Structure formats: structure tokens, C-alpha cells
Amino acid sequence: MTKYKQIRIALNNCGVIDPENIEDYIARDGYMALGKCITEMTPQDVIKEIKDSGLRGRGGGGFPAGLKWEIASKNHADQKYVVCNADEGDPGAFMDRSVLEGDPHAVLEAMAICGYSIGATKGLIYIRAEYPLAIKRLKIAIDQAREVGLLGKNIFGSKFDFDIELRYGAGAFVCGEETSLIHSMEGLRGEPTIKPPFPAEKGYLGKPTNVNNVETYASVPIIIRKGASWFNKIGTEKSKGTKVFALAGKVNNVGLVEVPMGTTLREVIFEIGGGIQNGKKFKAVQTGGPSGGCLTEKHLDTPIDFDNLVAAGSMMGSGGMIVMDEDNCMVSVAKFYLDFTVEESCGKCSPCRIGNKRLFELLERITKGQGTMDDLQRLRNMSNVIKDTSLCGLGQTSPNPVLSTLDNFYDEYLAHVKDHKCPAGECKDLMKYFIIAENCVGCTACARVCPVGAITGEKKEAHLINSETCIKCGACMERCKFDAIIIK
Amino acid sequence: MTKIKTLADLVKLRDELQSKQALADSADNAESIIQIKVGMGTSGIASGAKAVIDFLVEALEKRNIEANVSQTGDMGYSYAEPTIEVKKPGKDPVVFGFVNVQKADEIIEKYIKRDELVEGIIPVNYHTIDN
Amino acid sequence: MEKVKLTIDNKLIEVEKGTTIYKAAKQLGIDIPVLCYMNLEDLGIENKPGGCRICVVEVEGRRNLAPSCSTDCAEGMVVNTHSIRVINARRTVMEFILSDHPKDCLTCAKSGNCELQDMAVKLGIREIPGQEYAAMSTYKMDFSPSLIRELDKCIMCRRCEMMCNDFQTVGALSAFKRGFEAAVGPAFEMDIEDSTCTYCGQCVAVCPTGALTEKDHTREVINALSDPTKTVIVQTAPAVRAALGEEFGLKPGTLVTGKMVAALRRLGFNYVFDTDFAADLTIMEEGTELLGRLTKHLNGDKEVKLPILTSCCPAWVNFFEHNFPDMKEIPSTARSPQQMFGAIAKTYFADKIKVKREDLVVISIMPCLAKKYEAQRDEFKVDGNPDVDFSLSTRELAHLIKQANLDFKSLPDEDFDKPLGESTGAAVIFGVTGGVIEAAVRTAYELQTGKKLERVEFEQLRGMESIRKATIDFNGTPINIGIAHGLGNARKLLEDIKAGKSEFHAIEIMACPGGCIGGGGQPLHHSDSSILKARTKAIFAEDEAKVLRKSHENPYIIKLYEEFLGKPMSEKAHHLLHTHYFDKSGKIEIS
């Protein structure tokens, strides 16, 4: 078992079975877990098994799944719902999409198991409309499961009925937040409401609703089949099992990675990921998507689990992992994520609606060399207030990229503000192109390629770049054969 | 397909499917054939997996090689898409990355026909969970 | 009821479970600032989206700050409402809000009456850091006959949306776009005129900023008053006199009828009349129509449409034209008092004073914004000349009075002019929910039974409950009466009628909470519902003080029929005092 770093639980059937053929799934013990639950276990047994397994929500929060199910099971109502959150929205993350495309039945089976345990007969998958292939395969899977009687009435000859429908999201990031997701499914504006009440008390159409994400559900059938004690041996003390990451950025082997909790960032990036592209130097890794933070060299040997990442100033999130090298400007990275949250804020609460915009504007000023030391102070204060006062998880975490880069890369901010320089050379406004007179032979190649006529000089004499007109396109530098053009 | 009404029905169906699989897989069996899986997740398709699967089906038929070509989900090697897995009876499966039509042709001619290894093999680097 | 104990700012308090921190603090005399939160307690109207985040407080052991308006107290909670962390957060959030709000306070319609301005003062905001490079969200202005939307000033408190959707069920306003661009308005950013808006003005009544204001007509009125060729007359609605004083610092519920008349006279109106006169006239027409339909019904006529619905409220008329056009035969055909007044003024009265129609300008003072729209409806014009030229809200009248340098509080009490200024107590109560139907019952009872009412007050018709029911004994015939205020409540009664489940003979509907006293043109209540109650009391006090309290006893009404109209529902009355309704359900076009 120790031969490889990766163990595939959620991705167990991905890349192995034909997702459009239920027989492939059944051949790999598919629906055995559901059968076991319905025929051999009481709903309480199922909940106990999930609780004992230590499975925590894989969507970001890390709330114990079994506890969530238990709360929903204890709230009595004539109708309850099981909802699968497939509104994967972190930039660069595609774990859930891959599970739905590669192993849709695992999610259906898990939802039915959840339905059995909490007393729900209806399941809903909230999936973004931008996932057409996942939608297609889910539809096929649902049809096939209905056809053989694994969804529908009297499943496994019992009194348990369960069926699943799809609900499409329009791709708003905030709809990954569970109250927003429920409002969106109800046909209302996708914006959060204050919790409590939690969905487990008052969810979809006011009924008790259990919301988990795709990866959480995908881990459930194996837990039931192999037992809680098998699952909770994998991972760390407080974070059990495995986590799927979408490894992206400046790493050689980008792709999906599923590792046991407790694996270090170094193992993921340098062993599985094959290290940094082009032999460059590792600078930072961003985990947790727009809500997470940037971790540095000193965090590389931190074992990855829910609590360690939070302690390090980032979070697990849904599993996006973006690796950055020495060419990435960390102020620009923070700006990139802020741009995303500004775009995706629903606009309901003022700190998120306006505060994030103001953060973005400040970062933009800094990347243009217009920032002041006061601005850095304000950046921190505004970030703290937005975290402290926002209504939902989106606003409460949106300043994290700013705060973590301020903490870990303060020098880089200082360089932008005090020296008006971008050490990584990414901020165009802070770059200037120069011609080294000694190297220039006056071939005029650069002047001819300049699209704005910023380069002047006589033939066979050293040329000059007018930095006022220069648009920093870099065409001259690419053309120069004598290494006469440099960036300062 | 027949309805599954009890857990026993499911177990029976699973066992049937598994023995069929084993049969196809066994090196000593006359009926065993080559199994090829093409990673057809969104990233695979975006990188050209559709052309590869079409080529494989057509080329294998033309060259009279009996094989079962099927689609599967994302294998996780996004950097090497499109990816395909080839399993010859009685042998461990081999995953090839960066497969385009020419590469697929090479895989048929060299690996499938003559058991010669070709470049672009992605070593297995994970455990799966079996019962 | 389960109780919980907690401390707020080091003070111990025990409250019922389910009480919010904001309300518990209030009991302790701690006034946590709130902006988006609004509570009209007596009407069951509450807005708590938890959106502005001004009311945040620190709760020990909690990761982030809690919005006190929407966080329930819990056992053992330790709350601090003014720690450094809270004060800094509150200020910073306020700076955020102000950074995206125009700074044209000096010329803003809400200046001096703006909750955002008050909050800035309370929190001591003196500058907005970074304002010089902060982008502002901008939107197009939207003008309609009744209200103006200037969304640059919208702070997303969602109060208007709640009133429009939850209370009125009109559904014209909802949040659109997201993030920094989000604001509240009709779907697809349509103009309000193209939406299902009824112009009830409740959005304006609750807007904390200048984002929603009335269409101002004071300039037009000043122009008319200063035109020597025009005779300008004014009518004042009953609810105005019970609220106008608030604009001059008088206690809510102070009746200012006499001072209002004096002020109007000093503003230069040639005649100061009373809409109450027309309200008495409405009772004659509507009451007769009701009795007519009732008699037919009791005689077994299956064709007759019952219940009859009142038609005084222009927002309500707009509402059923949009939402229940298939039932447009049910409401009374009687015009509203404003329009009856205009029609009589520009015929009967113009003849009397020998002024040509086009030289007579009729101004109305209304607690209402829908009246502005009603006044310009085509069916109330003769050759393009409207029966009522301009309708001003109570707030606009206060502005006019201030502009004319009148010291309102020290004005003497004066009487309305004759003949269109005389009214009965029945007309006064048109201003409160249940009042129109009570006035109708006072007259209908006496006309139908031939008996004199011993007691004119019908307590069973009064109150603040959203839907009220009463049965009045008409000499052995029980008449079932329904009353609703708020269009959402009206919708329930209409759905019942549609489903054939309604047992009512007559229903009174007013669009605004509490009736006209809570109208969209009234002085702003700033979510204090005791103000509405005080106004209601004032209206009933004016009724009690009147010698004549039944519309059919108004001598000038009797004279009007003798000299001009003949009898109620006569052909002339029909022509001047009745109307018809339109199907507006298909009006919405998305371009």
C-alpha cells in the first residue's frame, strides 16, 4: 500500500470504467453499498458508519459529513431533500467535473444512501450548465439506474423510494454557498441568507435538506463497503481519507491528484507534480481557490489537512492547487483573485459588494506603482473588516489572498510601493525597456518592429527607446539579436 | 436489462459481469481480446481524444485486430492528454500519454502488434481500491 | 416561553428565546445603529436581509462579528456593541457604503430626511479614504409620472423590494446584476413605467436614501399660482391633515386642518376646498351602486356581480388592471374622490364662478403618489385638459409652505371655502383602512332601512389587522364586509373571489399600510409604526368632532344633486363621476 503516494478513493473508478455503462460500475461493486445499507443496516447504522469514518465535507468547510446527516435525520418533516453541490467554481479546479464525467453512478449511489439514512426520497444535483458532458453522463446514469430499479420505488424490494433530478446553475460562484444554492434551485436570486437556520433544518422549499459536494458523496460508497475503520486508518488524526487536488500552474505534471490527508505539499508538488517547469524556482502555492491563501517554501513540509492549512493562513477549499514560480508577482496574484471575487460577489452585503472592489482598486494602484505606505495599511484594515463583517463565506474569505501575500511577501509589496519595481517583472506598468548603447549595432530591426514608433536612432548608431510612448509589448526585445535591449 | 429487485440479484449480476471480464482478460483463453480505453473527460476531448477513438476503432477493424475500444473518464494526467490505456490479455495495462492519431498508429503497429514499447508511457503512480 | 440570559455591554438581561441581539439591546437602552433593517411592528412588516452590516456587534467566542438585527440571543452570550473592533468595522463598512454613494447631499431630495446622512453623522464620518480613485456604480435615471428612481443612490437595503414583493405582491422591484453593479429595479432594468408598478409609493416611503423619491410638481404649482390669468383651486385629502404637522416638528397625530387651510390660502390659492366633499359624493354614488347591486342580488338576480369592491385607491385600481383584468367588472365604477372633485370643479364650480375650464387650475394635496399617475390618465381629461392638473404629496406641500416663509405652527385655524369645502365625518375617515366602507355603511344603512343609525361608529370595521371581516345587520339582512390594506392582502381576497369562495357582499381595499395615512406621499415614518397609529387616531378624532357624520346629510351635496346632477347614478353623474377600467396585463414588453 505504500508504494505510491496516491490512493484513489473518490477517483477510484475514474479512468477505469465506461461512465455511460452501468454494468461497468456494477462489475466494480457498484450499488453494493446501497444494497448493504438497505438490506442489512438501519438508517442510524449508516449515519454511525459515516460518523465513525471521520469523513469531512470536501467542498471547503470540512464539516463532518456524518454529523450533518444526523442533524438532517433528526429534523422531522413530511419531505426531506438530498442535494449534491456540483457547482464547482474555483478557477482552475475540476475535481467534481471529473468525478461526474468519470464515475456518475458513485454520486447517485451515495445520494441514495444519504436519502435512506436521513429519510429523504428526493435527490437534486445542482450542476452548472457549463458542464455539458457531466450533465449528459449524469442523465444517462440516472436513466440506467432507474431502468434496473436502483433508483425509483421500492429499491432492493424495500419500502425505500428514491429518485434524483438535475437542477442547472448559471455558473455563479456564490451559488456554491449552500443557502445561495438552495435559493437558486428555488428559482430565486442566487444570494445567501443568514445561518441559522441551516439547510438541515430549513432548506430547499423550507424542508430539511442535506447538502454535500460531489467528492464527499463519491467517497461514501467505498466507506460503506470497506467499513469506517478501513477509511479512518487513512489520513491524519482529524482529517480522514484522501483529498483530490487539481494541480495546476507552473508545475510539470498538471492534473488530478488524490492523496491521503497528511501528505506534504512538497510530495504533491515535487514528487507527483514532477517539480517546477523549466527548472525555475518554486515561489508559492495557492490552495483553496479565491478563498484560500498563498503558502511559501516554509510551508512545503506541512502535512496537508483541513486544520494545518488554516493554521498556515490558507485553507483546503474544494481542492484547487496552483503552483507559482519566481516569475509570478504576488501582488498580481492577489489582484487576480480579487478580480474574480469582485466579479462573483452577489452584491447583497456592503463589505463584499463595495469593500472587495476597493481592495481591487488599491491593488491595481500598487501594481501601477501608485501605491503608498498608507495604502498598505488600509489594505490590511479593509481586508480584516471584510473578513469580519461579510454575510457569507465568499466575503468572509475573499481577502485571504491579500492577507496571505501581505504576510508572506511583504517585501514584494514594499518593492512596488517604495521602489516602484516589480521584482518578478510581471507588472507591466513598472517595467521600462532600455537599449544598452554598447551592445547596440544600429541594425534598426527593433525600430522597424516597434508598433508605436517608440524607437529612434540612425543606422549603425545606438538606438533609444522613448519610454513615454513605449507600450511594453516586448517585440523589440524579441527581435534584437545582440541582447542590447533589457528590462529594468 | 432485467430489474434488480434484491441484493442477491445485484451480486449475481456483478459476478456474471466480473467473470465475463476475467474471460476477456485471460491470456490462455481463445476468446480473450485486447481492451483499449480512451480517456474521454472534458480535458481529453478538448485535447483531441475524439479523433483518437475514431481512428482506433477504424484502424483496428481495417487491420483485423480484434479489440474492445471503450471510453472512460478523466485519468488525471491533464498534462499528457489525450491518454489511452491498452490492456493486452494476461498483461498489466499500459497507459500512453500525448496520444494523437500518429501516436495511436504507432501504438497499434508497435505495442499491440509486436509488443514493442513506444515512448510516452505514463507509469502507474496510484493505488486503486479493490475489494 | 423559553428564556435566555445574556450580557450586552456588561449589562445582564433575560429575554425570550428568539429575540435578536438588536431588540434585546434596545430593551437595555442601547441603540445599536441599523441601516437596512426596518420594522413596522404593528403591521407585521419586517425587513432584515442582514445586508448593510452596520449593526455588527462582537460576540465572545465567535469567529467574526454578528449582525445584531438578525442574530438571535443565546444563553450565556457575551455581547459587546462598541469595542474597538466593532467601531472600526462599522466605520469602515460605512466608508465603503459612502464611497459608492453620490455626494450631492445639498441638492438631494432627501437631504435632511435621509437615513444614510443621519448614519454618517452618528458614526462621525468626516472623510472617505481613497475616494479620489474609487469607482462609483452608475445607472440610468428613471422618471415616471409618480416616482423617480436614481439608483446611483441605492445602498441595497432591499426595503423597497420587500415592500413591493412581500407586502404588496406587485413584484415590480427586485435586485438585478451582481457584485458592485447590483441594484434594485424592474427586471431587465426596464423603466418602472413598463413594469407592473402600481405607483403605490411604498418603495419611496421606506427608501432610506434619495434613490426613490416622488416626482416633484411644486414648480408647476408655483407657476400656476403666479399666473394672473388662472384661477387656482386646491383640494386636500383627509389623511394629509393628520400628518402634515410632522413636517413642522409637531407630534405625530396632531390635527392641523385649520392651519393647513390658512397656509394654502396664504400660498395664493383662490379657493381652498376639501377632497372630503368629494368623498361624501363618492359615498352617494358608490353607496347607491352597492345598494343597487345588493338589491338585485337579494332579489335573486344571478347576473349581478358581487362582492362590490371600492375604487377610491388608485394604486389598487392599477393593481387589478395589471393582475386581475378578467375581474375588472367587479369594482365599483365610481371615480376616486380626487377625480370626482376635479370633474365637479371644472364643470359645476367653473360655471358658478364663470371661469373657463382651461383657466381653472385644480391642484390636489394627497398622501399618495399613485394620485399623480391617476390625475394624468387620459379618461380623466376633456380635450386634453385634465380634471386635476397637478397632484402634490403631503411632503411637497410642506416644502411649498416652507418656501413661502410661513411659520406654520403659529398660523391661525381657518375654514375651507364653500361650496366644495363642506364635508361630513364619514368623508374624513376615508383616510384610514376600513373608513370608506364604514362611511358607505353609514349611508347605505339609512337609505336601505329607512331607519336612523343610533350609533355611527362601526368598531368592528376598524383596526390594523391586515384582513378584517364583519357582518352588519341591515334590518335582518346580514351584509358581509371584508377589508384589506396592503395589496398582498387584497390579492388573497381576490383569489378567493376568483375561486368562488368569497362570501363578501362588499370589500374595501387600500393599497397602503393603515390606509391613506400610511401613503407613499406622507411624511416619512422611518419605520416607526406608532406614527401610523397616531395618525389613525387623529382621523377618528376629526370624525367625532364633526356635527354631520353621514355623507347624505352634507347640505352642499344635497344642493349639488338638486342644482346639477339630478340623482345618484343619473346620466350626468355617470358621465362625470364614473369610469371604466383597462386590461393592462399584457402591457409589459421587453425590448
Side-chain angles (χ1 to χ4, degrees), chain A residues 1 16-17 27 29 101 226, chain B residues 18 37 42 72 127 130-131:
Chain A
M1 199 71 163
V16 177
I17 63 167
D29 297 322
E101 286 175 3
K226 312 223 24 145
Chain B
Q18 281 178 352
K37 289 173 187 166
T42 295
T72 184
H127 298 275
D130 303 313
N131 266 345

Side-chain angles (χ1 to χ4, degrees), chain A residues 30-76:
Chain A
Y31 291 104
M32 291 297 288
L34 178 62
K36 182 176 166 190
C37 287
I38 293 175
T39 33
E40 295 165 11
M41 296 167 83
T42 65
Q44 291 74 27
D45 292 342
V46 178
I47 289 170
K48 187 172 181 300
E49 198 71 15
I50 299 298
K51 274 175 82 176
D52 290 348
S53 77
L55 176 68
R56 291 170 68 170
R58 301 297 197 236
F63 191 81
L67 197 56
K68 214 174 194 179
W69 291 20
E70 187 172 57
I71 298 167
S73 77
K74 283 184 177 161
N75 286 314
H76 296 287

Side-chain angles (χ1 to χ4, degrees), chain C residues 26-310:
Chain C
K26 206 155 209 186
Q27 290 178 30
L28 285 169
I30 300 164
D31 193 17
I32 301 172
V34 288
L35 192 52
C36 67
Y37 180 72
M38 184 189 86
N39 188 12
L40 288 171
E41 215 153 7
D42 301 306
L43 296 155
I45 300 173
E46 197 176 27
N47 182 58
K48 51 171 182 180
C52 75
R53 316 306 278 188
I54 288 291
C55 72
V56 288
V57 294
E58 192 167 352
V59 176
E60 251 177 44
R62 189 179 153 128
R63 181 172 45 90
N64 56 356
L65 300 178
S68 61
C69 73
S70 45
T71 306
D72 286 352
C73 294
E75 182 63 36
M77 218 179 214
V78 179
V79 178
N80 192 331
T81 73
H82 59 84
S83 64
I84 296 285
R85 182 176 165 205
V86 169
I87 287 174
N88 176 55
R90 202 174 277 153
R91 276 190 72 112
T92 308
V93 170
M94 189 62 185
E95 286 165 8
F96 287 154
I97 296 172
L98 294 179
S99 73
D100 187 30
H101 190 85
K103 313 292 183 296
D104 60 351
C105 288
L106 284 174
T107 52
C108 177
K110 273 284 178 67
S111 190
N113 212 347
C114 169
E115 293 177 37
L116 186 66
Q117 202 174 47
D118 292 348
M119 187 63 68
V121 172
K122 185 178 163 101
L123 300 183
I125 309 288
R126 286 287 174 273
E127 58 163 346
I128 297 147
Q131 183 68 71
E132 56 286 9
Y133 49 81
M136 311 261 275
S137 53
T138 55
Y139 311 84
K140 63 172 183 179
M141 292 275 287
D142 181 13
F143 300 91
S144 76
S146 290
L147 48 96
I148 296 175
R149 295 166 56 241
E150 189 180 351
L151 291 189
D152 291 6
K153 293 177 179 167
C154 173
I155 57 166
M156 286 288 278
C157 71
R158 319 292 282 273
R159 291 183 190 176
C160 56
E161 189 182 349
M162 183 275 298
M163 288 307 279
C164 193
N165 291 287
D166 301 350
F167 186 71
Q168 300 292 46
T169 67
V170 166
L173 298 177
S174 63
F176 62 79
K177 289 198 174 171
R178 65 187 188 196
F180 194 62
E181 298 298 322
V184 177
F188 314 110
E189 293 180 77
M190 273 189 296
D191 286 343
I192 196 85
E193 259 193 286
D194 299 327
S195 75
T196 55
C197 176
T198 64
Y199 300 120
C200 73
Q202 281 307 312
C203 54
V204 175
V206 298
C207 181
T209 73
L212 292 162
T213 51
E214 69 272 1
K215 169 92 176 74
D216 189 293
H217 287 102
T218 51
R219 191 166 287 265
E220 285 87 343
V221 172
I222 292 171
N223 287 346
L225 286 169
S226 52
D227 184 341
T229 66
K230 304 285 186 200
T231 302
V232 189
I233 69 171
V234 65
Q235 52 161 323
T236 64
V240 176
R241 65 206 64 183
L244 179 64
E246 293 163 28
E247 291 281 344
F248 300 95
L250 292 168
K251 228 173 71 202
T254 311
L255 271 173
V256 293
T257 321
K259 292 188 191 324
M260 175 182 72
V261 174
L264 289 166
R265 208 161 267 142
R266 280 155 185 72
L267 279 167
F269 289 100
N270 300 89
Y271 296 89
V272 180
F273 289 139
D274 199 351
T275 313
D276 288 15
F277 172 84
D280 279 333
L281 187 56
T282 303
I283 290 302
M284 297 308 292
E285 293 296 325
E286 200 172 279
T288 306
E289 193 185 352
L290 164 69
L291 281 180
R293 285 206 217 169
L294 256 183
T295 314
K296 277 189 198 166
H297 169 75
L298 295 174
N299 291 340
D301 185 344
K302 292 271 185 283
E303 291 294 296
V304 67
K305 294 244 165 64
L306 275 182
I308 188 168
L309 307 174
T310 58

Side-chain angles (χ1 to χ4, degrees), chain B residues 46-60:
Chain B
S47 313
K50 194 88 178 59
V52 172
I53 198 170
D54 289 347
F55 171 80
L56 282 171
V57 171
E58 209 190 305
L60 289 165

Side-chain angles (χ1 to χ4, degrees), chain A residues 172 189 191 194 343-351 353-354 358 361-362 365 375 378 381 388-391 396, chain C residues 49-53 64-65 70 85 88 92 96-97 99 129 133-135 155-156 158 175 177-180:
Chain A
R189 181 177 163 87
E191 55 182 25
I194 288 163
E343 191 64 36
E344 292 295 341
S345 164
C346 76
K348 186 172 180 178
C349 73
S350 19
R353 179 178 73 247
I354 310 169
R358 299 297 172 240
E361 287 167 347
L362 266 190
R365 281 172 60 77
D375 286 348
R378 279 185 56 219
N381 178 53
D388 228 5
T389 57
S390 287
L391 198 163
Q396 286 162 13
Chain C
C52 75
R53 316 306 278 188
N64 56 356
L65 300 178
S70 45
R85 182 176 165 205
N88 176 55
T92 308
F96 287 154
I97 296 172
S99 73
Y133 49 81
I155 57 166
M156 286 288 278
R158 319 292 282 273
K177 289 198 174 171
R178 65 187 188 196
F180 194 62

Side-chain angles (χ1 to χ4, degrees), chain A residues 273-394:
Chain A
I276 309 298
Q277 287 173 5
N278 306 320
K280 296 246 181 182
K281 213 172 147 251
F282 167 84
K283 185 173 194 176
V285 56
Q286 215 278 351
T287 69
S291 316
C294 292
L295 303 178
T296 63
E297 188 92 42
K298 68 172 188 251
H299 301 109
L300 276 178
D301 293 309
T302 310
I304 303 168
D305 70 8
F306 287 103
D307 311 292
N308 282 340
L309 286 181
V310 171
S314 183
M315 61 189 277
M316 182 78 90
S318 62
M321 190 179 271
I322 299 174
V323 178
M324 286 161 249
D325 69 9
E326 53 195 296
D327 293 341
N328 289 106
C329 164
M330 299 315 285
V331 185
S332 297
V333 167
K335 197 177 82 174
F336 167 82
Y337 282 107
L338 250 298
D339 192 19
F340 179 84
T341 13
V342 166
E343 191 64 36
E344 292 295 341
S345 164
C346 76
K348 186 172 180 178
C349 73
S350 19
C352 181
R353 179 178 73 247
I354 310 169
N356 281 326
K357 176 87 175 170
R358 299 297 172 240
L359 275 187
F360 176 78
E361 287 167 347
L362 266 190
L363 289 168
E364 191 157 65
R365 281 172 60 77
I366 294 169
T367 56
K368 283 185 173 163
Q370 296 161 345
T372 62
M373 289 305 287
D374 273 358
D375 286 348
L376 294 186
Q377 197 57 44
R378 279 185 56 219
L379 208 55
R380 192 178 282 280
N381 178 53
M382 276 162 41
S383 295
N384 285 330
V385 170
I386 294 167
K387 265 181 90 117
D388 228 5
T389 57
S390 287
L391 198 163
C392 82
L394 197 159

